[in-house]
Amino acid sequence: MTRSSRTLSTVTNNLKNHFKVAVVGAGPGGLSVASQLKNSLLPAKDIAIIDPAEYHFYQPMWTLVGGGLKTIEESRRPMSDVIQTCLSQDARHIAHRVERIEPQENRIQLSDGSQINYDYLVLSPGIQCKWDAIHGLREALEDEDSPVCSIYHPRYARKTWRLIQSVGSKADLKAIFTQPSTPIKCAGAPQKIMYLAEELWRLSAPSLQISFCSGMGKIFSAEKYAKRLEKICENRGIAVRLFHELVKLDSGSRKALFKHLPTGNVEGFDYDFIHVTPPMAPRPFVSQSGLGNDAGYVDVDKYSLQHLKYKNVFSLGDASSLPTSKTAAAIASQTSVLASNLLSQMESDTRNKAAPGSSTVPAESMKQYDGYTSCPLITGRGKLMLAEFSGYDLQPRETFWFDQGEERESMYDLTLKVLPFLYWEGMLKGLWNGPAKLKPILNPLNRN
Ligand code: UQ1
């Protein structure tokens, strides 16, 4: 394409407000699907991707930032660069928030008052951290002198590392790590940061009391890994309190109040350090637009990723109703299923001269997502247990020939050195959709 024709197409694209495909959210799900559509020869100019964020973050790295192994700068790239690199400048990047979607009209209302019309919609807006749901939390996080931190935010992840270092030499160090009862991104992260901190403190703190307080009834959803993690906590002297939901922080007296969910009793624990995983929730526009299930997640079929009511709408990732755990690895496996099924719906509609989503695609032409998810459970410097399982049956789905329930240096190296590259250069460009194709080579006997 010549320079002048490209400029012309960019200008025309900036003026139009109807797109074949609109993608809400330029996180890993939205970007990877958009890249795969483009790689499947859908012209980039037919794609609009909507996201107001200034940076695209590789969020799995935030635990490592909190543990002092990476920096926030290594976890982020400017959003407009990422979109241009992955989708070319012919795709339209709209840097506004979605106010509401009108699925009957195939229309999106944006925060600046403008509208976008689409034929097909991909919803991948992620979920929100509810920092204000816990009394006293936000003030304490913002106060540099308060020993309260969280890896679920770039600024507080930096604070996490600073605090881990500064409290380490305190005698009788009392530290608490929390997990809420809501679904969260990366359900392993509240423990991972604890293992990294404990490993350092063990060397310097004369007496150490660590407790892991979780609103959930289990330490981890898949039993194979849960058993190993329970053993690790026991060996490392970490007290595990289940069904304990953090409800309030009293920064003055350094007391954290927990509700014991089965009884409703509220109990206070003293802390010198507390790492908080906030409750999380879907974005309100999903329900307000009539696209959510009862819990507010985009209501899609768990195998096809197609919306149950609007067949020209698909969803993946944290915002979707898919009953698996919310990780980048899960999203990677969802992307190719979604892109393939969306293209099948499009082809079927064109063939039948039907309105978007109104023709029926034969079930055998639709790909199925099996619930695959993976969580690289870092347990220390040079040690990692790579959990891989299906969220649908909670059974292991391991890629390698060895027992991944053991802590290994090889899996640590894979996570710190290979996965970021696979993410930026593979997944976001639509070239990596999970390890399913590697498994027959690396685990030919399907040992789990
Ligand atoms: C994966 O595919 C992925 O997406 C890029 C991740 O997110 C960062 C992961 O953490 C993991 C573990 C996988 C799975 C990859 C392999 C090689 C088992």
Side-chain angles (χ1 to χ4, degrees), residues 297-340:
Y297 296 96
V298 185
D299 205 8
V300 291
D301 179 83
K302 74 175 194 178
Y303 300 113
S304 71
L305 282 54
Q306 187 169 34
H307 197 272
L308 293 174
K309 185 162 171 200
Y310 303 100
K311 304 293 180 197
N312 60 334
V313 177
F314 292 76
S315 178
L316 79 170
D318 300 351
S320 72
S321 62
L322 301 171
T324 190
S325 54
K326 303 181 183 305
T327 65
I331 295 170
S333 297
Q334 293 159 14
T335 56
S336 56
V337 175
L338 193 156
S340 167

mmCIF file of all heavy atoms in Angstrom, residues 297-340:
data_model
loop_
_atom_site.group_PDB
_atom_site.id
_atom_site.type_symbol
_atom_site.label_atom_id
_atom_site.label_comp_id
_atom_site.label_asym_id
_atom_site.label_seq_id
_atom_site.Cartn_x
_atom_site.Cartn_y
_atom_site.Cartn_z
ATOM 1 N N TYR A 297 -21.999 -11.558 34.642
ATOM 2 C CA TYR A 297 -20.996 -11.943 33.631
ATOM 3 C C TYR A 297 -21.692 -12.146 32.283
ATOM 4 O O TYR A 297 -22.854 -12.556 32.234
ATOM 5 C CB TYR A 297 -20.276 -13.229 34.055
ATOM 6 C CG TYR A 297 -19.483 -13.044 35.327
ATOM 7 C CD1 TYR A 297 -20.012 -13.397 36.566
ATOM 8 C CD2 TYR A 297 -18.215 -12.466 35.291
ATOM 9 C CE1 TYR A 297 -19.298 -13.194 37.738
ATOM 10 C CE2 TYR A 297 -17.488 -12.258 36.460
ATOM 11 C CZ TYR A 297 -18.037 -12.621 37.680
ATOM 12 O OH TYR A 297 -17.337 -12.405 38.837
ATOM 13 N N VAL A 298 -20.956 -11.888 31.198
ATOM 14 C CA VAL A 298 -21.556 -12.008 29.860
ATOM 15 C C VAL A 298 -22.009 -13.461 29.650
ATOM 16 O O VAL A 298 -21.204 -14.399 29.749
ATOM 17 C CB VAL A 298 -20.566 -11.594 28.746
ATOM 18 C CG1 VAL A 298 -21.283 -11.617 27.395
ATOM 19 C CG2 VAL A 298 -19.974 -10.215 29.016
ATOM 20 N N ASP A 299 -23.275 -13.605 29.349
ATOM 21 C CA ASP A 299 -23.937 -14.909 29.393
ATOM 22 C C ASP A 299 -23.709 -15.706 28.102
ATOM 23 O O ASP A 299 -24.494 -15.613 27.156
ATOM 24 C CB ASP A 299 -25.446 -14.647 29.605
ATOM 25 C CG ASP A 299 -26.140 -15.825 30.251
ATOM 26 O OD1 ASP A 299 -25.452 -16.773 30.670
ATOM 27 O OD2 ASP A 299 -27.382 -15.778 30.326
ATOM 28 N N VAL A 300 -22.627 -16.478 28.087
ATOM 29 C CA VAL A 300 -22.295 -17.226 26.869
ATOM 30 C C VAL A 300 -22.364 -18.737 27.094
ATOM 31 O O VAL A 300 -22.303 -19.208 28.228
ATOM 32 C CB VAL A 300 -20.871 -16.869 26.352
ATOM 33 C CG1 VAL A 300 -20.829 -15.456 25.825
ATOM 34 C CG2 VAL A 300 -19.805 -17.083 27.434
ATOM 35 N N ASP A 301 -22.481 -19.466 25.989
ATOM 36 C CA ASP A 301 -22.413 -20.924 26.039
ATOM 37 C C ASP A 301 -20.989 -21.326 26.432
ATOM 38 O O ASP A 301 -20.022 -20.817 25.866
ATOM 39 C CB ASP A 301 -22.765 -21.494 24.663
ATOM 40 C CG ASP A 301 -22.682 -23.001 24.632
ATOM 41 O OD1 ASP A 301 -23.662 -23.645 25.039
ATOM 42 O OD2 ASP A 301 -21.621 -23.536 24.234
ATOM 43 N N LYS A 302 -20.866 -22.245 27.384
ATOM 44 C CA LYS A 302 -19.523 -22.508 27.942
ATOM 45 C C LYS A 302 -18.614 -23.268 26.983
ATOM 46 O O LYS A 302 -17.410 -23.335 27.204
ATOM 47 C CB LYS A 302 -19.619 -23.198 29.294
ATOM 48 C CG LYS A 302 -20.011 -24.649 29.283
ATOM 49 C CD LYS A 302 -19.933 -25.173 30.729
ATOM 50 C CE LYS A 302 -19.980 -26.672 30.765
ATOM 51 N NZ LYS A 302 -19.854 -27.234 32.098
ATOM 52 N N TYR A 303 -19.182 -23.831 25.926
ATOM 53 C CA TYR A 303 -18.342 -24.517 24.924
ATOM 54 C C TYR A 303 -18.073 -23.633 23.701
ATOM 55 O O TYR A 303 -16.958 -23.552 23.229
ATOM 56 C CB TYR A 303 -19.003 -25.831 24.488
ATOM 57 C CG TYR A 303 -19.209 -26.782 25.644
ATOM 58 C CD1 TYR A 303 -20.490 -27.120 26.092
ATOM 59 C CD2 TYR A 303 -18.108 -27.334 26.306
ATOM 60 C CE1 TYR A 303 -20.673 -27.978 27.165
ATOM 61 C CE2 TYR A 303 -18.284 -28.198 27.380
ATOM 62 C CZ TYR A 303 -19.568 -28.514 27.803
ATOM 63 O OH TYR A 303 -19.736 -29.358 28.871
ATOM 64 N N SER A 304 -19.136 -22.965 23.185
ATOM 65 C CA SER A 304 -18.960 -22.217 21.922
ATOM 66 C C SER A 304 -18.545 -20.764 22.137
ATOM 67 O O SER A 304 -18.085 -20.111 21.211
ATOM 68 C CB SER A 304 -20.262 -22.252 21.112
ATOM 69 O OG SER A 304 -21.247 -21.440 21.748
ATOM 70 N N LEU A 305 -18.754 -20.227 23.359
ATOM 71 C CA LEU A 305 -18.439 -18.835 23.688
ATOM 72 C C LEU A 305 -19.365 -17.829 22.995
ATOM 73 O O LEU A 305 -19.091 -16.627 22.929
ATOM 74 C CB LEU A 305 -16.958 -18.486 23.398
ATOM 75 C CG LEU A 305 -15.913 -18.958 24.423
ATOM 76 C CD1 LEU A 305 -15.957 -20.423 24.741
ATOM 77 C CD2 LEU A 305 -14.524 -18.558 23.995
ATOM 78 N N GLN A 306 -20.479 -18.357 22.460
ATOM 79 C CA GLN A 306 -21.467 -17.515 21.776
ATOM 80 C C GLN A 306 -22.540 -17.099 22.785
ATOM 81 O O GLN A 306 -22.930 -17.906 23.640
ATOM 82 C CB GLN A 306 -22.115 -18.319 20.643
ATOM 83 C CG GLN A 306 -23.030 -17.508 19.747
ATOM 84 C CD GLN A 306 -23.408 -18.296 18.503
ATOM 85 O OE1 GLN A 306 -23.551 -19.523 18.551
ATOM 86 N NE2 GLN A 306 -23.559 -17.595 17.384
ATOM 87 N N HIS A 307 -22.996 -15.846 22.681
ATOM 88 C CA HIS A 307 -24.007 -15.369 23.626
ATOM 89 C C HIS A 307 -25.273 -16.210 23.518
ATOM 90 O O HIS A 307 -25.666 -16.638 22.432
ATOM 91 C CB HIS A 307 -24.322 -13.891 23.354
ATOM 92 C CG HIS A 307 -25.020 -13.240 24.505
ATOM 93 N ND1 HIS A 307 -26.389 -13.254 24.645
ATOM 94 C CD2 HIS A 307 -24.532 -12.601 25.598
ATOM 95 C CE1 HIS A 307 -26.728 -12.627 25.772
ATOM 96 N NE2 HIS A 307 -25.615 -12.218 26.364
ATOM 97 N N LEU A 308 -25.924 -16.443 24.666
ATOM 98 C CA LEU A 308 -27.084 -17.337 24.665
ATOM 99 C C LEU A 308 -28.300 -16.691 24.003
ATOM 100 O O LEU A 308 -29.180 -17.378 23.503
ATOM 101 C CB LEU A 308 -27.420 -17.771 26.098
ATOM 102 C CG LEU A 308 -26.350 -18.676 26.735
ATOM 103 C CD1 LEU A 308 -26.663 -18.952 28.203
ATOM 104 C CD2 LEU A 308 -26.195 -19.989 25.954
ATOM 105 N N LYS A 309 -28.351 -15.362 23.975
ATOM 106 C CA LYS A 309 -29.510 -14.694 23.372
ATOM 107 C C LYS A 309 -29.165 -14.034 22.033
ATOM 108 O O LYS A 309 -29.936 -14.142 21.077
ATOM 109 C CB LYS A 309 -30.016 -13.641 24.371
ATOM 110 C CG LYS A 309 -31.278 -12.953 23.956
ATOM 111 C CD LYS A 309 -31.940 -12.286 25.156
ATOM 112 C CE LYS A 309 -33.092 -11.408 24.725
ATOM 113 N NZ LYS A 309 -33.417 -10.423 25.764
ATOM 114 N N TYR A 310 -28.037 -13.346 21.972
ATOM 115 C CA TYR A 310 -27.657 -12.617 20.754
ATOM 116 C C TYR A 310 -26.529 -13.371 20.061
ATOM 117 O O TYR A 310 -25.389 -13.363 20.524
ATOM 118 C CB TYR A 310 -27.223 -11.186 21.106
ATOM 119 C CG TYR A 310 -28.290 -10.418 21.841
ATOM 120 C CD1 TYR A 310 -28.243 -10.273 23.233
ATOM 121 C CD2 TYR A 310 -29.369 -9.863 21.152
ATOM 122 C CE1 TYR A 310 -29.235 -9.586 23.909
ATOM 123 C CE2 TYR A 310 -30.368 -9.178 21.825
ATOM 124 C CZ TYR A 310 -30.292 -9.047 23.209
ATOM 125 O OH TYR A 310 -31.282 -8.364 23.875
ATOM 126 N N LYS A 311 -26.856 -14.020 18.933
ATOM 127 C CA LYS A 311 -25.891 -14.941 18.311
ATOM 128 C C LYS A 311 -24.772 -14.214 17.557
ATOM 129 O O LYS A 311 -23.845 -14.856 17.068
ATOM 130 C CB LYS A 311 -26.614 -15.910 17.356
ATOM 131 C CG LYS A 311 -27.733 -16.702 18.002
ATOM 132 C CD LYS A 311 -27.187 -17.689 19.031
ATOM 133 C CE LYS A 311 -28.323 -18.478 19.676
ATOM 134 N NZ LYS A 311 -27.934 -19.139 20.920
ATOM 135 N N ASN A 312 -24.877 -12.899 17.433
ATOM 136 C CA ASN A 312 -23.769 -12.144 16.819
ATOM 137 C C ASN A 312 -22.836 -11.576 17.897
ATOM 138 O O ASN A 312 -21.970 -10.758 17.613
ATOM 139 C CB ASN A 312 -24.277 -11.017 15.913
ATOM 140 C CG ASN A 312 -25.122 -10.000 16.661
ATOM 141 O OD1 ASN A 312 -25.727 -10.324 17.686
ATOM 142 N ND2 ASN A 312 -25.163 -8.768 16.167
ATOM 143 N N VAL A 313 -23.040 -12.034 19.140
ATOM 144 C CA VAL A 313 -22.204 -11.562 20.254
ATOM 145 C C VAL A 313 -21.448 -12.759 20.855
ATOM 146 O O VAL A 313 -22.037 -13.828 21.066
ATOM 147 C CB VAL A 313 -23.072 -10.899 21.346
ATOM 148 C CG1 VAL A 313 -22.225 -10.472 22.536
ATOM 149 C CG2 VAL A 313 -23.824 -9.704 20.769
ATOM 150 N N PHE A 314 -20.157 -12.557 21.086
ATOM 151 C CA PHE A 314 -19.314 -13.596 21.693
ATOM 152 C C PHE A 314 -18.541 -12.980 22.851
ATOM 153 O O PHE A 314 -18.359 -11.770 22.905
ATOM 154 C CB PHE A 314 -18.318 -14.149 20.658
ATOM 155 C CG PHE A 314 -18.963 -14.949 19.549
ATOM 156 C CD1 PHE A 314 -19.636 -14.311 18.510
ATOM 157 C CD2 PHE A 314 -18.905 -16.331 19.549
ATOM 158 C CE1 PHE A 314 -20.238 -15.051 17.497
ATOM 159 C CE2 PHE A 314 -19.497 -17.078 18.539
ATOM 160 C CZ PHE A 314 -20.172 -16.431 17.508
ATOM 161 N N SER A 315 -18.114 -13.819 23.787
ATOM 162 C CA SER A 315 -17.343 -13.260 24.898
ATOM 163 C C SER A 315 -16.322 -14.273 25.403
ATOM 164 O O SER A 315 -16.528 -15.494 25.306
ATOM 165 C CB SER A 315 -18.278 -12.857 26.037
ATOM 166 O OG SER A 315 -17.533 -12.367 27.137
ATOM 167 N N LEU A 316 -15.235 -13.738 25.948
ATOM 168 C CA LEU A 316 -14.193 -14.587 26.540
ATOM 169 C C LEU A 316 -13.532 -13.844 27.694
ATOM 170 O O LEU A 316 -13.764 -12.654 27.905
ATOM 171 C CB LEU A 316 -13.149 -15.000 25.486
ATOM 172 C CG LEU A 316 -12.063 -13.990 25.087
ATOM 173 C CD1 LEU A 316 -11.008 -14.694 24.242
ATOM 174 C CD2 LEU A 316 -12.602 -12.814 24.309
ATOM 175 N N GLY A 317 -12.727 -14.580 28.422
ATOM 176 C CA GLY A 317 -11.927 -13.945 29.471
ATOM 177 C C GLY A 317 -12.690 -13.701 30.757
ATOM 178 O O GLY A 317 -13.753 -14.277 31.003
ATOM 179 N N ASP A 318 -12.137 -12.805 31.581
ATOM 180 C CA ASP A 318 -12.639 -12.595 32.938
ATOM 181 C C ASP A 318 -14.096 -12.145 32.978
ATOM 182 O O ASP A 318 -14.813 -12.441 33.928
ATOM 183 C CB ASP A 318 -11.780 -11.539 33.664
ATOM 184 C CG ASP A 318 -10.317 -11.949 33.779
ATOM 185 O OD1 ASP A 318 -9.995 -13.110 33.454
ATOM 186 O OD2 ASP A 318 -9.495 -11.105 34.199
ATOM 187 N N ALA A 319 -14.538 -11.403 31.956
ATOM 188 C CA ALA A 319 -15.894 -10.852 31.969
ATOM 189 C C ALA A 319 -16.944 -11.885 31.579
ATOM 190 O O ALA A 319 -18.133 -11.670 31.782
ATOM 191 C CB ALA A 319 -15.979 -9.665 31.009
ATOM 192 N N SER A 320 -16.503 -12.990 31.011
ATOM 193 C CA SER A 320 -17.456 -13.978 30.490
ATOM 194 C C SER A 320 -17.967 -14.880 31.607
ATOM 195 O O SER A 320 -17.357 -14.971 32.677
ATOM 196 C CB SER A 320 -16.766 -14.840 29.433
ATOM 197 O OG SER A 320 -15.854 -15.719 30.071
ATOM 198 N N SER A 321 -19.076 -15.558 31.329
ATOM 199 C CA SER A 321 -19.664 -16.456 32.327
ATOM 200 C C SER A 321 -18.974 -17.820 32.342
ATOM 201 O O SER A 321 -19.405 -18.708 33.076
ATOM 202 C CB SER A 321 -21.153 -16.646 32.018
ATOM 203 O OG SER A 321 -21.301 -17.244 30.738
ATOM 204 N N LEU A 322 -17.914 -18.013 31.540
ATOM 205 C CA LEU A 322 -17.259 -19.325 31.455
ATOM 206 C C LEU A 322 -16.830 -19.796 32.844
ATOM 207 O O LEU A 322 -16.062 -19.105 33.520
ATOM 208 C CB LEU A 322 -16.036 -19.247 30.526
ATOM 209 C CG LEU A 322 -16.349 -18.801 29.091
ATOM 210 C CD1 LEU A 322 -15.071 -18.543 28.302
ATOM 211 C CD2 LEU A 322 -17.230 -19.824 28.390
ATOM 212 N N PRO A 323 -17.321 -20.962 33.281
ATOM 213 C CA PRO A 323 -17.054 -21.394 34.661
ATOM 214 C C PRO A 323 -15.684 -22.050 34.823
ATOM 215 O O PRO A 323 -15.567 -23.209 35.192
ATOM 216 C CB PRO A 323 -18.192 -22.381 34.942
ATOM 217 C CG PRO A 323 -18.538 -22.926 33.601
ATOM 218 C CD PRO A 323 -18.210 -21.890 32.573
ATOM 219 N N THR A 324 -14.643 -21.256 34.542
ATOM 220 C CA THR A 324 -13.281 -21.749 34.755
ATOM 221 C C THR A 324 -12.512 -20.641 35.443
ATOM 222 O O THR A 324 -13.035 -19.531 35.589
ATOM 223 C CB THR A 324 -12.618 -22.141 33.428
ATOM 224 O OG1 THR A 324 -11.388 -22.818 33.696
ATOM 225 C CG2 THR A 324 -12.357 -20.926 32.538
ATOM 226 N N SER A 325 -11.273 -20.892 35.881
ATOM 227 C CA SER A 325 -10.601 -19.818 36.610
ATOM 228 C C SER A 325 -9.982 -18.815 35.641
ATOM 229 O O SER A 325 -9.607 -19.136 34.515
ATOM 230 C CB SER A 325 -9.612 -20.358 37.626
ATOM 231 O OG SER A 325 -8.719 -21.212 37.006
ATOM 232 N N LYS A 326 -9.918 -17.595 36.096
ATOM 233 C CA LYS A 326 -9.629 -16.452 35.244
ATOM 234 C C LYS A 326 -8.129 -16.220 35.122
ATOM 235 O O LYS A 326 -7.525 -15.596 35.989
ATOM 236 C CB LYS A 326 -10.318 -15.209 35.814
ATOM 237 C CG LYS A 326 -11.837 -15.398 35.967
ATOM 238 C CD LYS A 326 -12.495 -14.162 36.511
ATOM 239 C CE LYS A 326 -13.986 -14.374 36.731
ATOM 240 N NZ LYS A 326 -14.716 -14.829 35.542
ATOM 241 N N THR A 327 -7.533 -16.750 34.048
ATOM 242 C CA THR A 327 -6.088 -16.597 33.835
ATOM 243 C C THR A 327 -5.822 -16.271 32.367
ATOM 244 O O THR A 327 -6.667 -16.517 31.500
ATOM 245 C CB THR A 327 -5.342 -17.913 34.155
ATOM 246 O OG1 THR A 327 -5.747 -18.910 33.208
ATOM 247 C CG2 THR A 327 -5.638 -18.414 35.557
ATOM 248 N N ALA A 328 -4.611 -15.746 32.094
ATOM 249 C CA ALA A 328 -4.218 -15.476 30.708
ATOM 250 C C ALA A 328 -4.147 -16.777 29.916
ATOM 251 O O ALA A 328 -4.450 -16.811 28.719
ATOM 252 C CB ALA A 328 -2.870 -14.763 30.672
ATOM 253 N N ALA A 329 -3.748 -17.861 30.588
ATOM 254 C CA ALA A 329 -3.644 -19.153 29.908
ATOM 255 C C ALA A 329 -5.022 -19.654 29.473
ATOM 256 O O ALA A 329 -5.179 -20.209 28.379
ATOM 257 C CB ALA A 329 -2.986 -20.168 30.830
ATOM 258 N N ALA A 330 -6.043 -19.433 30.324
ATOM 259 C CA ALA A 330 -7.408 -19.809 29.946
ATOM 260 C C ALA A 330 -7.826 -18.996 28.723
ATOM 261 O O ALA A 330 -8.355 -19.530 27.737
ATOM 262 C CB ALA A 330 -8.366 -19.559 31.108
ATOM 263 N N ILE A 331 -7.540 -17.705 28.763
ATOM 264 C CA ILE A 331 -7.922 -16.826 27.656
ATOM 265 C C ILE A 331 -7.244 -17.270 26.357
ATOM 266 O O ILE A 331 -7.878 -17.322 25.305
ATOM 267 C CB ILE A 331 -7.574 -15.358 28.002
ATOM 268 C CG1 ILE A 331 -8.426 -14.884 29.183
ATOM 269 C CG2 ILE A 331 -7.794 -14.444 26.793
ATOM 270 C CD1 ILE A 331 -8.012 -13.541 29.771
ATOM 271 N N ALA A 332 -5.955 -17.639 26.455
ATOM 272 C CA ALA A 332 -5.233 -18.078 25.252
ATOM 273 C C ALA A 332 -5.983 -19.233 24.580
ATOM 274 O O ALA A 332 -6.165 -19.248 23.361
ATOM 275 C CB ALA A 332 -3.806 -18.488 25.618
ATOM 276 N N SER A 333 -6.452 -20.186 25.382
ATOM 277 C CA SER A 333 -7.168 -21.334 24.811
ATOM 278 C C SER A 333 -8.547 -20.954 24.294
ATOM 279 O O SER A 333 -9.071 -21.597 23.386
ATOM 280 C CB SER A 333 -7.324 -22.429 25.857
ATOM 281 O OG SER A 333 -6.067 -22.892 26.242
ATOM 282 N N GLN A 334 -9.143 -19.928 24.884
ATOM 283 C CA GLN A 334 -10.482 -19.504 24.438
ATOM 284 C C GLN A 334 -10.421 -18.764 23.094
ATOM 285 O O GLN A 334 -11.366 -18.814 22.310
ATOM 286 C CB GLN A 334 -11.119 -18.584 25.490
ATOM 287 C CG GLN A 334 -11.452 -19.290 26.800
ATOM 288 C CD GLN A 334 -11.586 -18.324 27.981
ATOM 289 O OE1 GLN A 334 -11.678 -17.108 27.804
ATOM 290 N NE2 GLN A 334 -11.579 -18.855 29.191
ATOM 291 N N THR A 335 -9.297 -18.073 22.831
ATOM 292 C CA THR A 335 -9.252 -17.172 21.670
ATOM 293 C C THR A 335 -9.515 -17.879 20.342
ATOM 294 O O THR A 335 -10.285 -17.383 19.527
ATOM 295 C CB THR A 335 -7.888 -16.455 21.562
ATOM 296 O OG1 THR A 335 -6.858 -17.438 21.526
ATOM 297 C CG2 THR A 335 -7.666 -15.504 22.717
ATOM 298 N N SER A 336 -8.876 -19.033 20.132
ATOM 299 C CA SER A 336 -9.015 -19.664 18.813
ATOM 300 C C SER A 336 -10.417 -20.258 18.649
ATOM 301 O O SER A 336 -10.946 -20.310 17.539
ATOM 302 C CB SER A 336 -7.946 -20.728 18.599
ATOM 303 O OG SER A 336 -8.004 -21.666 19.637
ATOM 304 N N VAL A 337 -11.024 -20.698 19.757
ATOM 305 C CA VAL A 337 -12.394 -21.215 19.696
ATOM 306 C C VAL A 337 -13.334 -20.069 19.316
ATOM 307 O O VAL A 337 -14.162 -20.186 18.400
ATOM 308 C CB VAL A 337 -12.810 -21.814 21.066
ATOM 309 C CG1 VAL A 337 -14.271 -22.232 21.052
ATOM 310 C CG2 VAL A 337 -11.916 -22.980 21.432
ATOM 311 N N LEU A 338 -13.144 -18.938 19.977
ATOM 312 C CA LEU A 338 -14.023 -17.798 19.701
ATOM 313 C C LEU A 338 -13.853 -17.308 18.264
ATOM 314 O O LEU A 338 -14.835 -17.135 17.529
ATOM 315 C CB LEU A 338 -13.742 -16.653 20.682
ATOM 316 C CG LEU A 338 -14.798 -15.543 20.692
ATOM 317 C CD1 LEU A 338 -14.807 -14.798 22.017
ATOM 318 C CD2 LEU A 338 -14.667 -14.549 19.554
ATOM 319 N N ALA A 339 -12.602 -17.116 17.834
ATOM 320 C CA ALA A 339 -12.362 -16.576 16.486
ATOM 321 C C ALA A 339 -12.939 -17.516 15.435
ATOM 322 O O ALA A 339 -13.598 -17.072 14.481
ATOM 323 C CB ALA A 339 -10.868 -16.355 16.265
ATOM 324 N N SER A 340 -12.727 -18.812 15.613
ATOM 325 C CA SER A 340 -13.221 -19.781 14.639
ATOM 326 C C SER A 340 -14.751 -19.790 14.599
ATOM 327 O O SER A 340 -15.359 -19.795 13.519
ATOM 328 C CB SER A 340 -12.661 -21.156 15.004
ATOM 329 O OG SER A 340 -13.321 -22.153 14.295
#
